[in-house]
Amino acid sequence: MPERTPETHVIDFRAAEQLLAARDPRGAVKLLDPVIAAHPENTAARLLRARAFFLAAQLRPAELEFQVVLEREPDNAFAHFALGRTLQRADRAAEAQRHFRLAAALDPRPDYLAAARFEE
């Protein structure tokens, strides 16, 4: 295997984005694993891997990755929303609701507000 460099990690990250867009989340995870192993502090790569886990219906790994992102960026509205969707999909509605409401409070986008259900 050729030596991994910062440049090849960027290429792998961009290729993983393309794979996710093409609905190949497992392929994206395979590309992102070595990127994150080399750069565990890279929140963008972790967020992309969390999305890939979610799309691959690997809910526990998705939850863990979204939590890492939120530890580093507690004001990341998308990460709160995506964690809420992950928890919702895992039949953990009460936990999901908290994250939906945080997402909506941080960024009042219509989809975040609808998921937050503040009127209830």
Side-chain angles (χ1 to χ4, degrees):
M1 182 171 170
E3 185 172 331
R4 309 303 298 159
T5 66
E7 292 80 15
T8 57
H9 289 142
V10 171
I11 291 166
D12 286 347
F13 178 86
R14 296 296 178 211
E17 287 179 318
Q18 294 299 315
L19 286 173
L20 203 55
R23 309 297 285 177
D24 181 4
R26 293 183 196 287
V29 168
K30 285 180 185 175
L31 285 177
L32 290 167
D33 284 345
V35 173
I36 292 170
H39 304 281
E41 75 289 348
N42 188 317
T43 304
R46 288 189 173 273
L47 187 58
L48 188 61
R49 185 166 71 172
R51 290 176 47 217
F53 281 139
F54 178 82
L55 290 174
Q58 296 179 16
L59 301 181
R60 184 64 179 149
E63 177 186 352
L64 295 173
E65 283 294 341
F66 285 127
Q67 287 173 344
V68 169
V69 170
L70 288 170
E71 285 172 11
R72 297 174 182 179
E73 297 179 4
D75 61 343
N76 187 321
F78 174 78
H80 278 290
F81 180 75
L83 178 55
R85 285 283 183 237
T86 303
L87 294 168
Q88 183 182 53
R89 201 167 165 190
D91 293 324
R92 294 163 57 193
E95 293 173 75
Q97 192 63 30
R98 176 179 177 270
H99 289 283
F100 288 144
R101 290 184 175 189
L102 285 167
L106 290 165
D107 184 358
R109 292 175 35 159
D111 51 341
Y112 295 179
L113 289 169
R117 299 189 325 253
F118 284 116
E119 64 281 349
E120 293 179 12

